[in-house]
Amino acid sequence: MNKWNNEKLKFWLEAGLALLLVLTLGLAGARGIFAKDIEEKSVSAKTKVEQEKGADAKEKGSEAEKKDKAEENAAQETEEVIADGQYPIMGESSVTVEQMISFFEESGEEYPSEALGKGGADSIETFCQMYYDEAVAEGVRPEVAFVQTMKETGWLQYGGDASIEQFNFAGLGTTGGGVPGNSYPDVRTGIRAQIQHLKAYATEDALAQVCVDDRYEYVKKGSAPYVEWLGQKENPEGAGWATAENYGYSIVDMINKMKNIE
């Protein structure tokens, strides 16, 4: 009887161990599948994020390329317009401050550092940088305003109705017969007034900075979008900055010489 009981107990113990082993293996398998599933989901999520980042980068790259292409096309169209004999007053420019400085130095004239230094521009370098910054602020081509000044003032030597102490660089308000025209408190203000006056002729767009040009309101806005039209005799509407024949064309000739400076 004891032997039978022992064998029966042994049978149930072995059966229990077998069942425990089956359960353990089953649980381990389930954990493995679960872990694999988590890993696959993690990899899938990571791949999705990387794909989204790649798509964003591609989209941004595409937008940047489109922007660069648009700017390139605009510059090309502008150069084509210039080549056809019309030099826009407004727009971006390839002319540098260094070219402006060299253009003045090649004139052989001495920069009036004492007189213009009182107005905040004691060197040609400072003077040219002011022209560049003020022109860019209003969207006017720097070379247009700068070369106009060289023409109007005789390379900053003056000698006309306006005097250098007025910081009037383009004869604003001078009407001949000794009328001195407008005066400004410093060099930068005089430059800004001239550039704002140019913008008034070139476009109907509003000024970007506070108006310091006393004669801004008298200009027929947008009547001379091209430098060539600044001369009243060459302007289709008879408007323009000056009455001298080929006034605008002479400025363009000077600009072309400056642009050839390397």
Side-chain angles (χ1 to χ4, degrees), residues 74 78-79 81-82 86-93 134-145 194-208 216 222 224-227 230:
T78 298
E79 291 303 322
V81 169
I82 292 173
Q86 294 178 322
Y87 203 103
I89 292 174
M90 306 296 292
E92 296 184 3
S93 171
E134 290 295 325
V136 169
E138 290 293 352
V140 171
R141 293 174 181 274
E143 68 270 23
V144 175
Q194 175 195 357
I195 288 170
Q196 291 180 342
H197 208 65
L198 277 171
K199 185 172 182 176
Y201 274 108
T203 178
E204 296 181 7
D205 293 347
L207 295 175
Y216 180 82
Y226 307 110
V227 179
L230 288 175

Side-chain angles (χ1 to χ4, degrees), residues 5-250:
N5 289 335
N6 289 337
E7 289 180 356
K8 186 176 181 181
L9 179 61
K10 182 179 179 182
F11 171 78
W12 286 113
L13 286 173
E14 289 177 351
L17 288 172
L19 180 60
L20 180 62
L21 179 60
V22 170
L23 292 173
T24 301
L25 291 174
L27 181 61
R31 285 180 177 178
I33 292 172
F34 182 67
K36 184 177 181 181
D37 183 53
I38 292 176
E39 183 179 355
E40 288 176 351
K41 289 182 178 179
S42 177
V43 171
S44 177
K46 183 178 180 181
T47 301
K48 184 177 180 181
V49 170
E50 290 176 349
Q51 288 176 343
E52 289 176 350
K53 287 183 178 179
D56 289 343
K58 185 176 180 180
E59 184 177 350
K60 289 180 180 178
S62 179
E63 290 177 356
E65 289 176 1
K66 289 180 180 178
K67 183 179 179 181
D68 291 341
K69 188 66 176 177
E71 291 177 352
E72 182 181 340
N73 289 339
Q76 185 176 354
E77 289 175 2
T78 298
E79 291 303 322
E80 288 175 356
V81 169
I82 292 173
D84 288 339
Q86 294 178 322
Y87 203 103
I89 292 174
M90 306 296 292
E92 296 184 3
S93 171
S94 60
V95 172
T96 65
V97 173
E98 288 70 25
Q99 284 178 306
M100 294 161 66
I101 295 170
S102 297
F103 186 58
F104 176 82
E105 292 176 340
E106 288 190 2
S107 73
E109 298 291 351
E110 183 178 353
Y111 180 76
S113 56
E114 183 177 353
L116 296 186
K118 294 177 181 178
D122 60 357
S123 68
I124 185 60
E125 289 80 9
T126 301
F127 187 76
C128 290
Q129 189 64 57
M130 283 185 181
Y131 260 93
Y132 190 89
D133 293 343
E134 290 295 325
V136 169
E138 290 293 352
V140 171
R141 293 174 181 274
E143 68 270 23
V144 175
F146 180 74
V147 168
Q148 183 186 37
T149 288
M150 297 303 106
K151 176 179 176 62
E152 289 279 354
T153 65
W155 302 95
L156 300 177
Q157 304 310 302
Y158 284 82
D161 293 333
S163 65
I164 194 169
E165 291 79 15
Q166 292 175 238
F167 305 128
N168 183 343
F169 301 108
L172 287 173
T174 58
T175 57
V179 178
N182 295 3
S183 295
Y184 302 97
D186 51 48
V187 172
R188 185 176 291 278
T189 304
I191 292 173
R192 183 173 298 179
Q194 175 195 357
I195 288 170
Q196 291 180 342
H197 208 65
L198 277 171
K199 185 172 182 176
Y201 274 108
T203 178
E204 296 181 7
D205 293 347
L207 295 175
Q209 304 190 86
V210 175
C211 184
V212 298
D213 173 22
D214 298 334
R215 304 188 63 78
Y216 180 82
E217 61 181 295
Y218 302 122
V219 178
K220 183 177 181 181
K221 306 301 183 293
S223 60
Y226 307 110
V227 179
E228 290 87 345
W229 291 10
L230 288 175
Q232 292 178 13
K233 294 180 180 179
E234 293 76 38
N235 189 292
E237 300 181 28
W241 192 292
T243 58
E245 189 173 355
N246 290 322
Y247 176 81
Y249 284 88
S250 64

